[in-house]
Amino acid sequence: MEKKPHFVRREFLPREVPSISLALLLAAVLLLNALLYLYLNKFYSSLGRVETDPGLCPFGHFKFGAVKNCSPWLSCEAINREVRKLKCVGEGAVKKVFLSEWKEKKVVLSQLTNSELKEDFLHGLKMLKALQSKHVVRLLGYCEQQFTILTEYHPLGSLRGLNETLHIPKYKGMNTWHRRLMLAIDYVSVIRYLHSSPLGTLVMCDSNDLDKVLSQYLLTSDFHVLVNDLDALPLVNRSAGRLVKCGHRELRGEFVAPEQRWPYGEDVPFEDDLMPPYDEKTDIWKIPDVSNFFLGHVEGSDIVRLHLFDIHAACKRKDPAERPSAQEVLDTYRKVLTLLIREAAMPGTREML
């Protein structure tokens, strides 16, 4: 007797499999978003450099290394008695910088070198005391009578050496678009802090070229950015009609903002009294150039530049009033980081959905 073929109904199976896969994919996306939220929330609370950090000491005090208790800033007497110079590690127009030692810890001792610039030195000290936060190098002590400032030591030095540092075997793992964008976010966070500081709106005037800008900031061992040199930090007060001028000499070049350049042409000799003042939007003009340095030429950096194109174009608007605020730039950088981390974590998710 001929057996009849058995037919199994399978038409539902191809429909169920995609449904299960889609459900799993959606669950994975939701889980990823939750993890990203937790990660970025933690990231912004540290990288965003919350100014009112509960770990900071009261005014006039500092914590050093793993020590839990706050100590008073070192006085003239304590600096003279307890701090030992090791070697000179730098010299600028205003001060000479010495790697030094205090209680077997490396510190930095800065001393005035040009008595004609003592007002700049004292202004920098005043800013350093008033702006202590996670954005600013830690002050350990000072002696106004001897024009001496003691600060925390950061062995990786200024941002000028960033690319060299990232080529050291120990730090090669940091040489990614992700880490570089985080440094750029740190830098913009400092600018945002200065523009909304406890003292008011401050302009970073020691920034006439890229090398000069980079020399004003330090790279910490855990790869964050701190502002280190606050000698040239004038105050903008719009309500009082107070704007600023960065120095008394003519500024040239594409790096400085258009409003910082002599507006009357080469036929009219430069005169400081005729030079119009300006505001903090000069800092915004420079952000794209500094960020371009941070991003470097690693894999993925061009994608980051593409996502930042619009905000950088806005930063380069000729009219300062049309440029975004530092807060708006910072918000955009953070959104781009979030987007790119999500896309890197789940490539092709959008197409699969």
Side-chain angles (χ1 to χ4, degrees), residues 15-152:
R15 293 177 185 172
E16 279 193 0
V17 172
S19 299
I20 295 172
S21 298
L22 184 59
L24 290 173
L25 179 60
L26 288 171
V29 170
L30 291 173
L31 177 61
L32 175 64
N33 283 336
L35 292 174
L36 277 173
Y37 173 81
L38 293 173
Y39 165 75
L40 291 170
N41 187 53
K42 181 180 179 181
F43 166 71
Y44 290 141
S45 65
S46 60
L47 179 65
R49 323 299 256 182
V50 179
E51 288 79 34
T52 56
D53 178 17
L56 287 175
C57 293
F59 182 81
H61 294 73
F62 70 93
K63 279 194 296 188
F64 194 69
V67 177
K68 294 183 178 180
N69 297 327
C70 295
S71 302
W73 287 334
L74 298 186
S75 63
C76 296
E77 181 184 357
I79 291 173
N80 291 333
R81 184 180 65 250
E82 301 172 10
V83 177
R84 181 170 66 94
K85 290 181 185 176
L86 299 178
K87 64 177 180 178
C88 179
V89 292
E91 184 173 1
V94 178
K95 54 186 176 286
K96 187 177 286 189
V97 180
F98 297 90
L99 174 63
S100 304
E101 193 175 59
W102 174 69
K103 293 188 176 180
E104 299 182 350
K105 297 181 179 69
K106 296 289 191 303
V107 293
V108 174
L109 188 72
S110 302
Q111 292 184 318
L112 178 69
T113 55
N114 186 345
S115 58
E116 295 180 0
L117 298 175
K118 63 182 181 181
E119 293 303 320
D120 294 53
F121 184 91
L122 293 175
H123 177 74
L125 173 58
K126 177 184 175 182
M127 295 293 106
L128 197 53
K129 289 192 291 184
L131 299 176
Q132 284 295 290
S133 70
K134 287 208 169 185
H135 301 287
V136 180
V137 68
R138 183 174 292 137
L139 178 64
L140 307 179
Y142 65 91
C143 180
E144 284 193 38
Q145 297 94 315
Q146 298 173 9
F147 297 99
T148 299
I149 299 173
L150 192 70
T151 54
E152 190 174 13

Side-chain angles (χ1 to χ4, degrees), residues 130-192:
L131 299 176
Q132 284 295 290
S133 70
K134 287 208 169 185
H135 301 287
V136 180
V137 68
R138 183 174 292 137
L139 178 64
L140 307 179
Y142 65 91
C143 180
E144 284 193 38
Q145 297 94 315
Q146 298 173 9
F147 297 99
T148 299
I149 299 173
L150 192 70
T151 54
E152 190 174 13
Y153 172 63
H154 293 280
L156 296 184
S158 80
L159 288 177
R160 284 189 295 192
L162 174 63
N163 289 323
E164 289 76 9
T165 297
L166 289 172
H167 283 94
I168 297 172
K170 179 181 178 181
Y171 299 111
K172 277 189 175 181
M174 297 285 195
N175 197 17
T176 64
W177 69 263
H178 173 245
R179 178 59 65 175
R180 284 175 170 270
L181 179 55
M182 287 166 67
L183 290 174
I185 290 175
D186 251 2
Y187 164 71
V188 177
S189 296
V190 174
I191 299 298
R192 188 278 314 268

Side-chain angles (χ1 to χ4, degrees), residues 242-283:
R242 181 180 176 183
L243 300 178
V244 304
K245 287 193 287 188
C246 291
H248 305 287
R249 299 179 181 178
E250 182 178 1
L251 301 179
R252 297 176 179 269
E254 293 298 315
F255 187 82
V256 297
E259 63 270 23
Q260 292 184 280
R261 302 172 209 153
W262 180 242
Y264 303 117
E266 294 185 2
D267 295 335
V268 180
F270 176 82
E271 287 187 39
D272 184 43
D273 292 340
L274 298 179
M275 180 67 198
Y278 33 83
D279 62 17
E280 77 281 2
K281 290 299 183 73
T282 58
D283 289 334

Side-chain angles (χ1 to χ4, degrees), residues 205-249:
C205 266
D206 257 348
S207 56
N208 298 337
D209 57 63
L210 178 60
D211 192 64
K212 186 64 174 174
V213 171
L214 299 175
S215 71
Q216 310 301 303
Y217 296 86
L218 294 171
L219 179 65
T220 67
S221 296
D222 60 349
F223 271 69
H224 283 302
V225 174
L226 297 175
V227 63
N228 180 52
D229 196 331
L230 304 174
D231 294 346
L233 211 60
L235 178 69
V236 169
N237 189 336
R238 283 195 184 82
S239 60
R242 181 180 176 183
L243 300 178
V244 304
K245 287 193 287 188
C246 291
H248 305 287
R249 299 179 181 178

